[in-house]
């Protein structure tokens, strides 16, 4: 028996990259867990990929899917009233740094308004007659570290210098959760994810975009002339980290509230050019491409940062877990999936 046994877990963004992998892992790991998944199925990237992820989840008996937008307060309240979740994981968000420069409205709607609606529903789950949410876990991002110079990034660092609206909304989520933990005695945990990649990932992410261009024989654009570092984190490590966190409600901190934020990253920044070389090698090994890619080196883009590097000491100390999938292994698995999904089925 674990603390999650017999629980109903509400996951927003369930058709998304992390949400679908987390849902599958929970249903596979726990025989008595029920998952309620919500997703708007918007067209920020190809909806067919979201449908592909959901198709596998629909085979699970203890999974219920609801199509809906968390910016719709009435829909959110109805879901809480109908399914009475014990645990809530908010992964629904408008993602992407560069997209936030040209489409800010989407970030305000999902990342601020939608997040507020989830927080309010969690708060009101403590009203008389309702089923209280025991733990609220939500996605933050390494983007909150912005232009910080100190590395590795620690959750003790100040994060007051966002360089994108996306980063600003994620920091806002942490602040909102903190206020609700303080005001309403909620148990909340934020997770700062570091460049998540893997099978059935997001096509807007660099590694996926690079792959598409390589397959099409197009040159790829590499910014800051390739001189950037990223703490690439494989999806299975992210999911393991989330589940470990779900199993433990945060202890009361020095402020007297049950509030915590963790980094989940690989704790090993990779040089961007090494990343491209490794991806190219894995794709060639799978027979997806047959020659090296043409590369275009360009200046830094607005909203980008030079390096991300996660300090995961708290994760190791409190959960005995540290992400450890190597870049070579992670990209090999991604390449294998890509070949099966795009090159064989279609």
């Amino acid at each position: 028996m674990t603390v999650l046994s017999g629980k109903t877990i509400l996951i927003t963004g369930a058709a998304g990259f992390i949400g679908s992998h987390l849902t599958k892992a929970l249903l596979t790991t726990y025989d008595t867990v029920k998952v309620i998944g919500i997703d708007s199925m918007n067209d920020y990237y190809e909806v067919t990929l979201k449908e592909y992820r959901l198709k596998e989840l629909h085979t699970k008996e203890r999974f219920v899917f609801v199509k809906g937008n968390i910016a719709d307060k009435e829909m959110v309240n109805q879901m809480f009233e109908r399914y009475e979740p014990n645990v809530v994981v908010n992964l629904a968000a408008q993602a992407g740094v560069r997209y936030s420069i040209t489409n800010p409205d989407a970030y305000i709607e999902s990342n601020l308004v939608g997040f507020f609606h989830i927080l309010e529903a969690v708060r009101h789950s403590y009203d008389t007659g309702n089923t209280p949410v025991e733990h609220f876990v939500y996605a933050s991002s390494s983007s909150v570290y912005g232009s910080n110079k100190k590395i590795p990034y620690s959750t003790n660092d100040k994060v007051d210098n966002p360089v994108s609206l996306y980063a600003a909304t994620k920091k806002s989520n942490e602040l909102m959760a903190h206020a609700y933990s303080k005001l309403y005695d909620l148990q909340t945990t934020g997770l700062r994810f570091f460049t998540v990649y893997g099978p059935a990932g997001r096509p807007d992410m660099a590694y996926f975009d690079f792959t598409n261009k390589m397959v099409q024989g197009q040159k790829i654009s590499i910014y800051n002339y390739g001189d950037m570092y990223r703490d690439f984190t494989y999806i299975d490590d992210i999911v393991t980290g989330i589940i470990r966190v779900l199993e433990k409600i945060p202890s009361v901190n020095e402020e007297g509230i049950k509030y915590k934020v963790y980094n989940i990253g690989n704790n090993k920044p990779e040089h961007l050019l090494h990343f491209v070389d490794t991806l190219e090698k894995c794709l060639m090994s799978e027979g997806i491409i047959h020659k090296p890619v043409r590369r275009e080196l360009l200046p830094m883009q607005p909203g980008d940062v030079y390096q991300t590097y996660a300090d995961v000491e708290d994760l190791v100390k409190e959960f005995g877990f540290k992400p450890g999938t190597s870049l070579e292994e992670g990209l090999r698995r991604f390449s294998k999936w890509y070949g099966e999904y795009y090159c064989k089925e279609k």
Side-chain angles (χ1 to χ4, degrees), residues 10 12 38 75-85 88 117-123 125 131 133 136:
L10 176 68
T12 71
I38 298 176
M75 185 280 299
V76 170
N77 290 339
Q78 287 175 352
M79 291 304 98
F80 274 73
E81 290 170 8
R82 180 173 181 180
Y83 294 108
E84 301 182 319
V88 175
H117 291 162
I118 298 294
L119 263 181
E120 275 286 279
V122 171
R123 167 199 170 190
S125 73
T131 300
V133 172
F136 174 51

Side-chain angles (χ1 to χ4, degrees), residues 208-225:
F208 212 126
D209 183 55
F210 286 165
T211 302
N212 288 337
K213 285 186 167 66
M214 289 178 183
V215 169
Q216 294 162 12
Q218 301 175 13
K219 65 183 176 184
I220 63 173
S221 298
I222 301 176
Y223 294 95
N224 204 39
Y225 308 103

Side-chain angles (χ1 to χ4, degrees), residues 19-301:
S20 59
H21 280 268
L22 174 62
T23 299
K24 181 181 177 182
L26 285 169
L27 293 172
T28 302
T29 306
Y30 303 96
D31 293 336
T32 57
V33 160
K34 180 178 181 179
V35 176
I36 312 302
I38 298 176
D39 203 290
S40 67
M41 302 295 286
N42 67 34
D43 61 357
Y44 170 61
Y45 58 80
E46 55 189 86
V47 177
T48 52
L49 185 54
K50 298 177 182 181
E51 292 171 341
Y52 162 82
R53 297 177 188 136
L54 279 178
K55 186 177 180 181
E56 188 172 12
L57 298 179
H58 279 309
T59 63
K60 312 290 185 182
E61 290 183 2
R62 291 168 285 114
F63 175 67
V64 176
F65 178 71
V66 177
K67 183 178 179 180
N69 189 333
I70 61 172
D72 180 347
K73 187 173 185 177
E74 185 177 349
M75 185 280 299
V76 170
N77 290 339
Q78 287 175 352
M79 291 304 98
F80 274 73
E81 290 170 8
R82 180 173 181 180
Y83 294 108
E84 301 182 319
N86 308 109
V87 177
V88 175
V89 186
N90 188 71
L91 299 174
Q94 179 57 60
V97 169
R98 284 186 281 280
Y99 190 72
S100 70
I101 297 172
T102 54
N103 298 273
D105 290 11
Y107 292 78
I108 301 303
E109 177 185 285
S110 183
N111 301 10
L112 295 185
V113 176
F115 188 81
F116 167 68
H117 291 162
I118 298 294
L119 263 181
E120 275 286 279
V122 171
R123 167 199 170 190
H124 286 295
S125 73
Y126 282 80
D127 292 349
T128 303
N130 292 340
T131 300
V133 172
E134 300 163 11
H135 195 183
F136 174 51
V137 177
Y138 59 94
S140 186
S141 167
S142 62
S143 297
V144 301
Y145 290 106
S147 55
N148 280 20
K149 297 293 187 287
K150 172 187 160 293
I151 55 171
Y153 294 156
S154 167
T155 54
N156 294 319
D157 297 341
K158 277 196 168 187
V159 285
D160 299 329
N161 303 293
V163 295
S164 69
L165 178 64
Y166 171 65
T169 62
K170 285 300 181 181
K171 176 57 182 173
S172 297
N173 289 169
E174 296 179 8
L175 294 171
M176 293 163 73
H178 185 279
Y180 270 65
S181 289
K182 180 71 173 177
L183 291 170
Y184 308 112
D185 198 28
L186 304 184
Q187 294 77 242
T188 68
T189 303
L191 302 174
R192 294 175 179 172
F193 299 136
F194 281 69
T195 317
V196 189
Y197 74 101
R202 279 175 30 212
D204 64 310
M205 295 285 284
Y207 73 98
F208 212 126
D209 183 55
F210 286 165
T211 302
N212 288 337
K213 285 186 167 66
M214 289 178 183
V215 169
Q216 294 162 12
Q218 301 175 13
K219 65 183 176 184
I220 63 173
S221 298
I222 301 176
Y223 294 95
N224 204 39
Y225 308 103
D227 186 25
M228 288 200 288
Y229 291 82
R230 289 290 180 270
D231 207 344
F232 294 99
T233 316
Y234 189 65
I235 182 62
D236 289 4
D237 288 333
I238 291 288
V239 167
T240 299
I242 296 173
I243 292 176
R244 295 284 182 93
V245 168
L246 285 175
E247 291 177 333
K248 181 183 176 184
I249 294 172
S251 303
V252 175
N253 65 16
E254 63 276 5
E255 298 175 69
I257 60 175
K258 294 179 180 178
Y259 169 89
K260 186 73 178 182
V261 174
Y262 296 96
N263 288 332
I264 302 187
N266 215 45
N267 192 231
K268 185 189 176 186
E270 302 282 359
H271 194 271
L272 185 55
L273 292 180
H274 170 65
F275 173 82
V276 173
D277 289 342
T278 305
L279 176 61
E280 184 179 82
K281 177 182 173 183
C282 290
L283 291 171
M284 292 181 76
S285 178
E286 290 293 327
I288 296 169
I289 62 172
H290 304 286
K291 61 181 180 180
V293 66
R294 292 178 294 135
R295 308 175 186 192
E296 179 182 31
L297 301 180
L298 298 171
M300 184 79 92
Q301 288 191 113

